[in-house]
Amino acid sequence: SGRPPASHGELVRALAQARVLAVVTVARADQGPVAVRALARGGVNAVEIMLRTDAALDALSLAVEEADRMLAEGGPTVLVGAGTVLSAAQAREVAARGARFAVSPGFSRVLASACREACLPFVPGVCTPTEAQAALAERLSVLKFYPASSMGGAKGLKALADPYKRDARFVPTGGVTQDTLPEYLALPNVLAVGGSWLLAADSEGRVDAEETARRAATARAAADEAPAAKLLPGNCDDPWAAAPALAAQP
């Protein structure tokens, strides 16, 4: 892809509009674009390709190319990013392959710094107040709540998020289902919800495009019925603009 990473504001606005982030694991690289097109057909236009298989990086490249192709054909704008980004090297690699954003199950200043250097919007994972405050200290105000179901589900997120209702918005991921999706979307501090249930694939790794599109459409309908996302005034600000000075503080 010749396009640069998304701006932080572009990512936040896209997630606020989508309300659902498709979390995709593919065993075959050629299924990345199939997944993106099927999800978009169902109305889910934000996709995270997780780096959990040997095929993931190539699937990411092909998925980004597919998103570019769809846009050129007059289709929807689909933001394709990388998930399970654990290291600075991976952050640089996914940026080089055209990822529009990066998501990690946890937070580290090293990873945040690498994303800053690549101008790559970064959504770190947190599940405790200490982790949330460490991310907020780097001006990262959009945080992944992970693993959501294991950490108390929507009730757990409400308890964690309440002290930060003026500072952060959350993307709960991990164990979310179509049935529990509305519970998360009803929380005022939730920007979007990440879900792996949207992707349907067989035992050989082939994506079932029809079923994936159907699941995406069902999730999209639930998102349309939920309250609109409530952005904070600073959510769309570039966190990297002042991050180096903040990072230098003890």
Side-chain angles (χ1 to χ4, degrees), residues 70-151:
M70 291 168 60
L71 185 62
E73 294 171 352
T77 297
V78 180
L79 283 189
V80 178
T84 322
V85 178
L86 306 178
S87 68
Q90 285 181 322
R92 290 189 288 268
E93 178 69 16
V94 300
R97 287 176 177 259
R100 310 301 306 285
F101 60 92
V103 181
S104 180
F107 168 78
S108 78
R109 295 177 75 182
V110 171
L111 183 52
S113 178
C115 290
R116 178 172 61 244
E117 291 171 3
C119 297
L120 187 65
F122 177 44
V123 180
V126 303
C127 65
T128 68
T130 299
E131 293 165 349
Q133 287 174 210
L136 287 168
E138 298 290 325
R139 298 181 76 243
L140 294 165
S141 64
V142 176
L143 310 175
K144 171 177 174 172
F145 177 61
Y146 177 85
S149 63
S150 299
M151 299 305 295

Side-chain angles (χ1 to χ4, degrees), residues 2-250:
R3 287 195 293 162
S7 69
H8 179 76
E10 183 182 359
L11 172 62
V12 171
R13 286 187 289 270
L15 290 177
Q17 182 177 21
R19 303 305 316 275
V20 179
L21 170 64
V23 178
V24 171
T25 301
V26 289
R28 295 170 41 171
D30 63 351
Q31 296 304 288
V34 178
V36 166
R37 189 169 283 270
L39 289 162
R41 184 149 54 93
V44 173
N45 297 335
V47 182
E48 171 190 336
I49 305 291
M50 294 199 291
L51 305 187
R52 294 193 179 185
T53 67
D54 292 340
L57 284 171
D58 288 339
L60 171 65
S61 297
L62 293 174
V64 169
E65 291 175 3
E66 184 67 14
D68 288 347
R69 186 178 302 112
M70 291 168 60
L71 185 62
E73 294 171 352
T77 297
V78 180
L79 283 189
V80 178
T84 322
V85 178
L86 306 178
S87 68
Q90 285 181 322
R92 290 189 288 268
E93 178 69 16
V94 300
R97 287 176 177 259
R100 310 301 306 285
F101 60 92
V103 181
S104 180
F107 168 78
S108 78
R109 295 177 75 182
V110 171
L111 183 52
S113 178
C115 290
R116 178 172 61 244
E117 291 171 3
C119 297
L120 187 65
F122 177 44
V123 180
V126 303
C127 65
T128 68
T130 299
E131 293 165 349
Q133 287 174 210
L136 287 168
E138 298 290 325
R139 298 181 76 243
L140 294 165
S141 64
V142 176
L143 310 175
K144 171 177 174 172
F145 177 61
Y146 177 85
S149 63
S150 299
M151 299 305 295
K155 289 182 179 179
L157 175 55
K158 185 179 186 302
L160 173 68
D162 273 356
Y164 309 110
K165 59 187 176 183
R166 292 180 297 178
D167 303 293
R169 289 294 178 259
F170 292 85
V171 182
T173 307
V176 182
T177 66
Q178 180 63 47
D179 289 339
T180 59
L181 174 64
E183 299 173 20
Y184 290 102
L185 290 175
L187 296 176
N189 294 354
V190 167
L191 179 64
V193 178
S196 59
W197 83 89
L198 298 171
L199 186 72
D202 64 22
S203 59
E204 296 182 358
R206 287 188 295 262
V207 172
D208 182 335
E210 291 300 320
E211 176 62 15
T212 296
R214 186 195 69 77
R215 294 181 187 182
T218 302
R220 177 71 259 169
D224 288 342
E225 293 176 2
K230 298 179 180 178
L231 292 178
L232 293 167
N235 277 154
C236 292
D237 294 347
D238 181 4
W240 305 142
L246 283 169
Q249 296 178 2

